[in-house]
Each structure stands twice: as C-alpha cells, then as structure tokens.
Amino acid sequence: MADEAFRQQVKNRRDYLRSSRGKILVWTAAEREEDVMRLLSEKTLDLAAVRLRMPDLALFRAGGFTVLPVIDRNGLEALARFLQGERGRAEIESDSGENLSASADSGRIVTAFVFHEPRTESVTGTGTGTRIETGSEAGADYAHLIGDIPKQYEPAELYVYRERFCFPFYFRAAEPAEKPDVGTAVHGKPKPKAVIADWFLGYGDGVILLPLLRKLIDREARLGHEVHLIAKEKLASFFGTFLQGCRIYRSPESPAVYEAVLRSSLYRKAILLPVSVSSPPMRHISGLFGAALGFKRPYPLPEPAPAVYPPLPAEQAEELAVLRAAGNKVVGIQFHTGDAKRSWPEARAREFIALCREWGLALVNLTPLPYPAEGCSDWSMLPVEELFAAIEGLDAVVGIDSVCGHVAGFLGVPHITLWGRSFPHLQFPFTSDESHVSFRTLRANYSLVPQSADIADIPAELAFARLTDILEGRLSPGKELHTAEDTLKGQGIEWVSGR
C-alpha cells in the first residue's frame, strides 16, 4: 500500500540519520527562545524544537549530541558562527553549561532545539562529491527525534512555529516509576484525549468526521476532559473552522506523528483513526471512526445541525439569487481532483455540460478544473469551508467521489456520485491494496459505478438522465443514512457495463 511504502521511506531515513550521528542540542532559557528559533529557521532546513525539564547535558553528550548552550547574546552569536562553519565542535563542547545544571535547577523548564547537521559524502564509483542535506526531506521525517532523545524525556505536546513545517515536539521529564495510589492522588486537571487524523484522510473524510468529532468533544466536555485533535495542515485548518471546545494541532504527513503521540505520557488515551480493512465484512468509514472514538455500534449518526459554517460570500449569494429569480434549477458540479483515476475525462464533462445547458439548467463549477467550464458559473475559488453554504443553496450536485459530494451528503442535498478507481463498497478493487471500507457519502446519494472501475466508462448521457430524474421527482435518493448494508444490497447504486 502507499502508506506502507511511505513508512518504509521514513524508516530508511531514520536509520540514515541515526547512523550519521550528526546530532546537535541547542538549549536556551525562555527569554532567548524566540531569538534562537529565528536564527535556526534561517540557517538550517532540518530543525525541530523540544521543551525539556532541565536537561542532563552529560546524558545528551553520551548519546552523540553536540551540546551548545545559548544563555546570552554572545551564545547566540557563537551559534550563528557554528552554523556558518566558523566554530568547531571542540570549541562548542568546551562550554560546560554549568550555570544551568540539572542538579541546581531540577524544577526549571528550558527550551532545547534539536537538529541534524548537513553532511557531505561521496558517491562511490563516480568520484563526484554529493552534498546530502538532511533537511531536504525533513518536513516529512522527524521520527529520528523519538529514537534520539534520551528515554527520560517523553513527547508531551506538538506545535508549529509560525507557518513553517518544522514539526517541533515538546518533551518533558518522565513521570516517577512509582505511581501514586488513585485514592490518594492529588485531584488536578485530568489528562486530555488525543485524536490523530491519519495523513491519508482528505476533506471528504473530514466532512464525515465532523459530526462524530462534535459528539466526542461534547461527551468529553461533560466529563471534564479536553480533546486534542492532531491533523495535517489543510484538515487542521478545516476542523478549526467548525469545531470549538478542543485544541487543534497541525503536523506534517508523517508516521512520526503517530509514534510520538501514542508514546506520549501527556494523554489519557491517544486514538489513531483507522482508514482501511483488509478483509470482509465491509464497513462504512463512519462506522470505523465511530468505533475508534468509543461510540457503541451500531450508533446513531448525529444530524449536521451542530455545525455552524461560514456564510456564502456576497458575490456568490447575489448570483444565486439572480438564478433563482429567473426560475432556474441550479446544479453544482465537481469533475476533477488530484487523482486522475477519480476524475471524469474532459470530453465526458463537456458533453454533460452541453446537455444541461440545452435543458436550461444553471450549472455552478465548485472546484478548479484544468479546462474551461463554458457556460458555468465559477465558484471554484471558494475555500472548502464555504462550500457548505454554497451547496446548501443548490438543487443537486453531480460529481466524482470527492469533497463536494460529501458536503452534499452531510447537508442532505440530492447528489450523484461518478465512481472511478474504487467502488462504493470496496477501495482499490482488482489490486493487492483492496480495502473493505465504504467511503460512500452519508445520505441523499445515487451512485453510478462502472464495473471496470474506469470512470471514463460512465456516459455523459446517463449522468444527465439520472440528474433530470432527480430534478423532476422520478428518483429520490432520500435523506436517511446510507448504511453499509444498504450499499451491499445495491440500494441507490447503478452499475455501468462500459462504453
């Protein structure tokens, strides 16, 4: 699977970094933290930050780290010279850092910065010197931090410095081996629960997750518990628009996140949301999410009412009002995404658009297309968060297996899904990566599914005919939840034999 290949790449990278032993620990008091971070972010691509209770410098040196203390402006200038190659390792290690010792300041928190030095190696057999920058892939791999930081320091929290993907960790000293008895423990704030959104998840999966996360956050709040949601950049921003009452952290798309958070002693429980099932029975992704989040199965799916989404911008709202005043049926379309196997071919899309125009339909293109959508209103630059208000005002949506269909299903707007690469009940059929998970939209869906899994086999005439059936009331997808059983029985699914 793609994620297995990714994990192997991370493992190879981690093994290289560990063997290179080019590790540097820069520690500083809090008042110099911003200066050091700014300098490091300017001078090196491979940067991560950790927060430590007063570090045991000897322990880090024994682990192969070059240790550099920065306690004043002179230390900051020395760090700059070191990064520029003007200060050697021996000179660095001559700084004892005795004024910030673990024994003297055992309760004090300082900030440390850990990164790997770029190394120069030769490519054997060519005689050509090749510079290997450890930072070149660092945005996707900080797994080495987990293995390199002494075990006395555990991951405690994640954050992103400004908008830059340096994937910092906070670490803290490990808890004492002897745990206090629960009956006599000091009553304080309970540990939060962490939810990790897999790097595989896209916007459509985020839409399915929304009501479940809202339900989880409300449930934990009633118990006095906090929820931390950890997701890649685009999903973190998306969830931040719709969810209140939880802390949301952005992280790069790396399995290192899983290892860090699952090992962390900060969390009462850490949940990695599953995305695949290797063997039958088939389950809907919402069921997998719900079970992982601790809801009893079968569980009632919350209605979308708790989510408050941004209003439609004035320009699009005015355009929609004009179309409505003219008596037009307004249909949203999405025919293209980054995955070519899920994108409807341009010829099919153009033919469908022409049929709709002949019938007098007003079409709204909801996401970017690599070709002009002639005769369609262009709302493709709307951010995902504003698609909710846009789709809520439409009569129907026709599109590929992607975010717009999921938003329509969330809202109960009738929509047709044009399937490619996968089936409603099976992901990646005819391959070794088959996954028995349904990513079908939650409700109000009618699916056109080519038996070949080739989306080009869906004729424009068929998609147009089913759209007019919906608009004229001959076909009603219904607003009840599509269960896994419904999908397996073929309810609301039409198989297409081919060209």
Side-chain angles (χ1 to χ4, degrees):
M1 294 178 64
D3 55 344
E4 289 299 328
F6 185 81
R7 285 182 173 87
Q8 185 60 44
Q9 180 184 11
V10 169
K11 181 179 182 299
N12 294 342
R13 186 70 179 155
R14 176 171 49 195
D15 291 344
Y16 164 74
L17 289 167
R18 284 178 174 171
S19 65
S20 74
R21 310 301 290 172
K23 298 173 294 185
I24 302 172
L25 170 69
V26 180
W27 57 264
T28 183
E31 57 267 21
R32 303 231 65 92
E33 177 177 330
E34 183 71 15
D35 292 336
V36 173
M37 178 64 90
R38 186 182 301 109
L39 175 64
L40 292 178
S41 65
E42 292 172 352
K43 298 296 184 182
T44 178
L45 295 175
D46 192 1
L47 167 68
V50 298
R51 179 157 289 173
L52 307 173
R53 196 171 296 277
M54 181 52 56
D56 185 332
L57 303 185
L59 189 66
F60 277 85
R61 287 193 176 105
F65 283 84
T66 298
V67 177
L68 188 149
V70 176
I71 57 177
D72 54 22
R73 173 58 62 179
N74 291 334
L76 193 65
E77 293 173 354
L79 173 60
R81 292 196 300 275
F82 179 80
L83 293 173
Q84 294 165 358
E86 299 173 3
R87 195 170 187 227
R89 179 181 179 126
E91 183 183 359
I92 292 295
E93 293 190 332
S94 67
D95 290 325
S96 64
E98 293 178 354
N99 60 323
L100 283 177
S101 65
S103 57
D105 296 281
S106 59
R108 184 175 176 184
I109 300 293
V110 299
T111 300
F113 302 89
V114 179
F115 57 99
H116 287 250
E117 290 180 283
R119 295 174 62 84
T120 302
E121 296 185 359
S122 295
V123 179
T124 57
T126 66
T128 304
T130 301
R131 183 170 179 79
I132 301 177
E133 295 273 353
T134 61
S136 62
E137 300 174 14
D141 175 23
Y142 281 105
H144 58 271
L145 282 179
I146 302 300
D148 288 342
I149 295 295
K151 300 305 180 184
Q152 286 81 348
Y153 300 97
E154 298 181 1
E157 192 173 0
L158 296 92
Y159 82 111
V160 171
Y161 176 68
R162 296 187 176 171
E163 300 299 323
R164 189 171 178 276
F165 273 132
C166 55
F167 190 23
F169 290 97
Y170 279 136
F171 283 70
R172 63 179 181 178
E175 296 180 3
E178 295 184 3
K179 304 285 185 179
D181 181 77
V182 175
T184 59
V186 177
H187 294 286
K189 187 176 181 180
K191 290 183 177 181
K193 180 177 289 187
V195 177
I196 310 168
D198 193 289
W199 66 274
F200 175 80
L201 299 182
Y203 281 126
D205 310 302
V207 174
I208 291 176
L209 259 175
L210 270 180
L212 297 173
L213 289 173
R214 181 71 271 165
K215 184 177 180 180
L216 172 72
I217 293 166
D218 291 344
R219 183 186 70 184
E220 295 300 311
R222 290 194 295 270
L223 298 173
H225 299 157
E226 187 179 9
V227 173
H228 292 184
L229 177 60
I230 300 164
K232 61 186 178 183
E233 172 76 14
K234 68 177 187 179
L235 280 184
S237 177
F238 172 80
F239 288 131
T241 301
F242 295 97
L243 298 174
Q244 288 78 42
C246 74
R247 298 177 66 182
I248 300 175
Y249 294 100
R250 292 170 293 175
S251 70
E253 301 173 19
S254 168
V257 178
Y258 314 156
E259 191 176 0
V261 178
L262 293 174
R263 277 189 45 184
S264 173
S265 61
L266 175 73
Y267 295 111
R268 176 170 51 92
K269 184 177 182 180
I271 302 166
L272 174 60
L273 296 173
V275 295
S276 65
V277 175
S278 59
S279 61
M282 185 274 287
R283 283 174 281 176
H284 194 279
I285 189 65
S286 64
L288 291 182
F289 290 159
L293 295 174
F295 300 126
K296 293 181 180 179
R297 298 190 321 185
Y299 58 90
L301 188 73
E303 291 299 317
V308 178
Y309 37 84
L312 190 62
E315 180 182 348
Q316 283 74 32
E318 182 179 352
E319 185 176 8
L320 181 60
V322 171
L323 293 173
R324 289 286 185 213
N328 292 312
K329 294 283 188 178
V330 186
V331 177
I333 58 172
Q334 181 189 9
F335 295 146
H336 186 80
T337 187
D339 184 349
K341 292 185 178 180
R342 284 191 293 142
S343 299
W344 214 21
E346 179 180 351
R348 299 286 196 206
R350 288 187 180 279
E351 187 178 356
F352 176 84
I353 291 171
L355 290 170
C356 290
R357 292 180 63 188
E358 290 175 12
W359 209 64
L361 292 177
L363 295 183
V364 175
N365 179 43
L366 296 169
T367 61
L369 282 169
Y371 48 85
E374 297 178 2
C376 300
S377 297
D378 185 15
W379 294 3
S380 63
M381 301 310 295
L382 290 179
V384 172
E385 294 80 7
E386 293 178 2
L387 287 177
F388 285 76
I391 291 173
E392 185 180 44
L394 303 178
D395 293 293
V397 172
V398 179
I400 59 176
D401 172 29
S402 192
V403 61
C404 293
H406 285 290
V407 172
F410 179 94
L411 298 169
V413 174
H415 61 287
I416 296 173
T417 301
L418 312 175
W419 287 85
R421 192 192 66 177
S422 294
F423 297 150
H425 67 289
L426 188 66
Q427 301 299 300
F428 316 117
F430 317 129
T431 74
S432 60
D433 295 332
E434 278 191 356
S435 177
H436 296 259
V437 177
S438 172
F439 282 82
R440 190 182 183 188
T441 57
L442 295 176
R443 51 174 68 81
N445 175 252
Y446 190 83
S447 289
L448 296 176
V449 190
Q451 294 174 347
S452 63
D454 185 352
I455 195 172
D457 284 351
I458 303 175
E461 296 89 345
L462 178 60
F464 173 72
R466 295 299 173 264
L467 172 61
T468 55
D469 287 342
I470 289 175
L471 295 177
E472 294 188 340
R474 295 187 295 271
L475 178 63
S476 177
K479 295 188 179 182
E480 65 279 0
L481 176 67
H482 298 302
T483 66
E485 293 72 21
D486 292 339
T487 297
L488 286 174
K489 291 176 182 177
Q491 294 183 14
I493 295 173
E494 182 175 346
W495 290 91
V496 182
S497 59
R499 293 178 175 83

